[in-house]
Amino acid sequence: MIKKLKSELLTSIKNKRLNVFLLFLFSAFVILIFTKLSKDYTNTIAFNIEKVNVPQDNVILNDSSHKLQVTLKTHGFKWLKYYFTKPDISIDFSSEVYKKQNTYVYTKSVSYLNEKEPFQNEAKLLDISPDTLVFRYDSNLVKKVAVQTETDITFFPGFDIVNSYKTIPDSITIIGPHEMVSTIDFIKTKKIVLTGVKSNISIQSKLDLPKNASDLKFSSEDVQFTASVEKFTEGTVTIPVQIINLPQNTSIKYFPKEVKVSYYTSLKNFKNISVKDFKVRCDFKKVNNDQSVLIPELTKVPENVKHIKLKQQRIEFIILK
């Protein structure tokens, strides 16, 4: 028992000594860090450019070279700000640039920048590179273009869309450099892939924006993609054949006088389809002299019907004397 108490006592003393050592070590580290940060340091860091007060009828073309390498002298605590937040320098296009041909030119001295934010009262600016920035610009163009759908959609057997796919909005407005916007005639959606669809569709879809989209502004970058889906069935009607443009004093005998027409429509619309919704005509002017065949054509079909097909492709005739 006595040996056990001695062992525990020695262990406790050793642990306390270790804790005291670690505390002193941490304190020394903190003091060292504060000592280092309180000193002045000189370093070079890349500043991004923030463009302000750009004329509304102009747009500045993005360029990766629009950065300034800035050499600063300040104490360590201030340097932390530049390392943890992305620094930038604002350029006022209403007062700090001048036009040269089709560009804006920015050139300022070190002494001038020392009076600007973020350097004023925080750091001493020693050098900047490059000493001149050139900004290309173009006149803005506002253009409204249609939204087109890019789809890969399959339906559950017996189901289909009633009309067509729609997007809300069906068009968007693009604002940007004339030379870029003028070449855009439509914007597609990102490819919409759906399988086994048997109910109405209503989903949000991103637009497939151009690669240079950073130079452009869009009234919307996504749309609502919609479609009405219903159960479909096939129907067949028998339609009388009409002959048009038959010359005067000419009579013909033709066969068949009626043709079957098949179609595909929704169950909801099926009972509304009738013979009078279709017209089949043969134009006698289109007959070749060496043939005795008329070609039937559908000249009238009802709405909400698809996959319409004439069962008879030729109408034979003879001219009666």
Side-chain angles (χ1 to χ4, degrees):
M1 176 65 77
I2 296 175
K3 287 183 178 181
K4 186 177 180 180
L5 289 173
K6 283 183 178 181
S7 177
E8 291 178 354
L9 184 59
L10 288 172
T11 302
S12 177
I13 292 171
K14 287 179 181 179
N15 288 339
K16 286 182 179 179
R17 286 177 179 174
L18 179 62
N19 290 338
V20 170
F21 172 75
L22 291 175
L23 178 61
F24 275 104
L25 181 63
F26 176 74
S27 301
F29 177 75
V30 171
I31 293 170
L32 178 63
I33 293 296
F34 273 85
T35 302
K36 290 286 186 181
L37 290 177
S38 62
K39 293 181 180 180
D40 285 345
Y41 294 92
T42 299
N43 204 352
T44 300
I45 191 168
F47 276 68
N48 292 324
I49 301 301
E50 180 188 5
K51 299 175 281 288
V52 298
N53 294 327
V54 178
Q56 290 186 350
D57 58 343
N58 292 151
V59 60
I60 306 300
L61 303 181
N62 284 336
D63 191 332
S64 59
S65 66
H66 291 162
K67 289 186 178 182
L68 285 176
Q69 299 293 329
V70 179
T71 302
L72 297 173
K73 182 179 182 180
T74 187
H75 58 74
F77 289 104
K78 293 292 177 63
W79 270 116
L80 288 176
K81 182 183 81 169
Y82 296 119
Y83 283 115
F84 289 109
T85 59
K86 201 169 186 179
D88 55 45
I89 295 175
S90 63
I91 294 180
D92 191 337
F93 276 67
S94 65
S95 60
E96 296 183 321
V97 300
Y98 64 90
K99 277 188 176 182
K100 184 178 180 181
Q101 295 178 345
N102 293 325
T103 63
Y104 285 105
V105 180
Y106 173 84
T107 175
K108 294 299 177 183
S109 64
V110 170
S111 59
Y112 176 85
L113 286 177
N114 266 317
E115 301 301 319
K116 277 178 65 73
E117 294 288 350
F119 308 116
Q120 191 177 32
N121 301 324
E122 285 197 5
K124 185 176 181 181
L125 191 153
L126 302 178
D127 188 37
I128 55 173
S129 178
D131 57 3
T132 301
L133 290 176
V134 177
F135 299 90
R136 294 185 303 115
Y137 74 91
D138 195 0
S139 57
N140 266 334
L141 173 65
V142 180
K143 186 177 182 180
K144 191 173 185 179
V145 298
V147 174
Q148 293 187 0
T149 55
E150 185 77 8
T151 63
D152 181 7
I153 299 175
T154 60
F155 295 88
F156 192 81
F159 288 81
D160 208 333
I161 59 169
V162 176
N163 293 309
S164 59
Y165 301 124
K166 295 180 181 179
T167 63
I168 303 172
D170 61 0
S171 59
I172 64 168
T173 300
I174 306 175
I175 304 174
H178 190 282
E179 63 179 16
M180 293 182 182
V181 177
S182 61
T183 62
I184 302 174
D185 296 319
F186 58 86
I187 294 290
K188 287 186 176 183
T189 62
K190 295 280 189 181
K191 194 168 188 178
I192 300 166
V193 180
L194 299 171
T195 57
V197 176
K198 56 180 178 180
S199 60
N200 291 341
I201 302 170
S202 181
I203 59 174
Q204 203 75 10
S205 174
K206 290 286 185 183
L207 295 176
D208 191 10
L209 302 179
K211 293 181 180 178
N212 54 0
S214 57
D215 289 323
L216 306 171
K217 293 181 180 179
F218 303 88
S219 60
S220 179
E221 294 188 5
D222 52 32
V223 293
Q224 191 74 15
F225 175 79
T226 65
S228 295
V229 178
E230 291 184 14
K231 193 168 181 61
F232 272 61
T233 188
E234 187 177 35
T236 303
V237 289
T238 302
I239 309 298
V241 177
Q242 298 179 359
I243 309 297
I244 62 172
N245 294 321
L246 190 66
Q248 288 185 349
N249 302 321
T250 300
S251 61
I252 63 172
K253 188 174 183 180
Y254 60 92
F255 180 83
K257 288 185 167 39
E258 296 178 331
V259 294
K260 290 185 180 296
V261 177
S262 64
Y263 60 90
Y264 197 52
T265 190
S266 67
L267 283 175
K268 184 178 179 181
N269 189 55
F270 181 77
K271 60 185 177 182
N272 298 323
I273 305 297
S274 66
V275 172
K276 65 181 182 181
D277 295 320
F278 298 85
K279 275 188 181 179
V280 177
R281 288 178 175 175
C282 294
D283 190 345
F284 197 82
K285 283 185 177 181
K286 296 181 181 180
V287 174
N288 292 328
N289 292 331
D290 58 344
Q291 291 183 346
S292 298
V293 173
L294 295 163
I295 306 300
E297 298 176 349
L298 277 163
T299 57
K300 180 184 177 183
V301 294
E303 295 182 357
N304 300 326
V305 169
K306 56 178 65 179
H307 307 316
I308 304 170
K309 185 178 180 180
L310 278 167
K311 298 289 187 178
Q312 187 78 23
Q313 301 300 320
R314 294 156 58 95
I315 304 294
E316 298 181 358
F317 74 92
I318 58 172
I319 297 176
L320 301 176
K321 294 183 180 180

